[in-house]
Amino acid sequence: MLPLSDRLAKQVAGLPRSGIRDFFDLVVGRDDVISLGVGEPDFTAPWNIREAAIFALEKGRTTYTANLGLLALRRAIAGYVKKQFEVAYSPETEILVTVGVSEALDLAFRALLNPGDEVIYHEPCYVSYSPSIVLAHGVPVPITTKVEDHFALLASDVAARITPRTKILMLNFPTNPTGGIQPRAELEKLAQLAIEHDLIVITDEIYSELLYGGDGGMELPEHTSIASLPGMKERTILLHGFSKAFAMTGFRLGYACAPPVLTEAMMKIHQYSMLCASIMSQYAAIEALEGGMDAVESMRQSYARRRNLMLQGFARMGLPCFPPGGAFYMFPDVRQFGLSSKEFAMRLLEEEDVAVVPGSAFGPAGEGFVRCCYATAIDKLEIALDRIENFVNRLK
Amino acid sequence: MEKLLELLQQDGQAGPETIAAQLGRPVEDVRAMIKECEESGVILGYHAVIDREKFGNAGVSALIEVRLTPERGGGFDRLAHRIARFEQVSSCYLMSGAYDLAVIVEGNDLREVARFVSEKLSTIEGVISTATHFQLKIYKQNGFLSKAEDEVRRLPVAP
Ligand SMILES: Cc1ncc(COP(=O)(O)O)c(C=O)c1O
């Protein structure tokens, strides 16, 4: 018999293990670790949202839903997206409710890519992009974004990488892991490029509510989605979900908004692979959109305060870090110490019991940086900062 | 200012340094703002929120509905102030609806509270009637749940 490892599909066998996984194994089993390695809110989902899920269960709502998702939820999403992003989608034909943005991403790539089609995206980035592209038989074409540009994606860099095989431009602003946002002028240039080269754009807007503007990051700045720019809605798949802003990671709920042909194509895959998203989660999501916005804003302000605390802490210890415009991550630059980001993270864990994620887990472009998630209690952040300061002082 | 008050309301012990770092303001500004709030009476005081049930000698607490005769000129103010000054009274609010004042009274036992009501409160001229409701169990006070939600363990490292 052939070894089972030889039976695996080529594109699966070739997938690297996530750098996050390796690090995870080191962290679990250690007590007293303060983890800045998390990727989710420290808030529990607001009570009214949880209560709506309980109510759905009490009412016996335990069935499948329409493949696209409950119409009431799609209507609520249409209203929300119109308000948040200024793009109008039809709840009947242009919105698909998915099991998190994770599933929506996979659907979008699978619906569009033929073997060899290229996807341009910016790196450092969320760990799933490249594997999802490979699993859909596409070719990942990462473009490095730089700290000098505050991790914005320059249209000139994109233009240089466009080939006849380029099919998709994938964006994620605010970005995991950098917290970077895309200035509107640069976004407009990307839209121009997409139109010129007839590209489809996938935009992962999962952090779009968590933005920090004005003095001390407390103000909510304007956010522009590329889908709202002229000529873009018809070539864009907008992905969004409830995990981050509503603190609903475990509900596993997201959605894709796209022109009818693309929605229909994604729906076909979803129908055969997932059938529908969980009905309890869908009812909870309706409540989130109808009665959860105050909670979102109060959580945003809480993140903004913690972001300030981190910025001040890093400044005090001489660790360069650009002020992130969104999400709940800081991405300090650790190149001055002559360690790889993995060595830095390992030693910080071993010597000071603080877990951060090596930037290299988010692609080679993340080397030289570490990701620190500040969605953790203030008192823990203060201790973590003290410990990082001790560590950094020893390295200097 | 509003943000500062919000933070202090959540945690009265938050130090000016932590608050300043969170708001991205110089610590002297924060100290000055706190002082101003204390002096102008916007901040009335600071106290621990104690769950008396978890603490041996729990004492008792009652909500007393008080109906008053309003007075020309001052309405209910003079009588309300008079009642609020008793040290047994922990809170006193003017209410809309079927009664006028909601008075929260604390005491060591039922008898002590009952005595306060019958001897002090109901004998004040202008008090028309009182109705005493003893508190039986606390689920939430001043924003704090008595039974904290279970701590949820997140994955320590996640994408
Ligand atoms: C950029 C980005 N996209 C998508 C996801 C996945 O989100 P969901 O929980 O909706 O599957 C995450 C989660 O960390 C993320 O950071």
Side-chain angles (χ1 to χ4, degrees), chain A residues 39 100-102 126 129 172 176 204 206-207 243-244 252 329, chain B residues 159:
Chain A
V101 171
S102 301
Y126 182 50
Y129 295 162
N172 168 227
N176 174 8
D204 177 350
I206 194 159
Y207 293 103
S243 287
K244 312 293 175 173
R252 308 305 307 120
Y329 309 108

Side-chain angles (χ1 to χ4, degrees), chain A residues 35 37-38 40 50 176 218 301 305 308 312 371 375-376 378 382, chain B residues 3 6-7 10 18 21-24 149 154-159:
Chain A
S35 183
V38 294
E40 60 184 319
R50 286 187 273 159
N176 174 8
M218 297 306 287
Q301 293 191 10
R305 294 194 292 262
N308 293 340
Q312 204 176 79
R371 189 191 75 178
T376 285
I378 289 271
E382 285 180 323
Chain B
K3 302 269 181 292
E6 220 176 276
L7 280 178
Q10 280 162 21
T18 307
Q22 292 187 60
L23 298 182
E149 297 209 61
R154 293 179 290 170
L155 294 178
V157 182

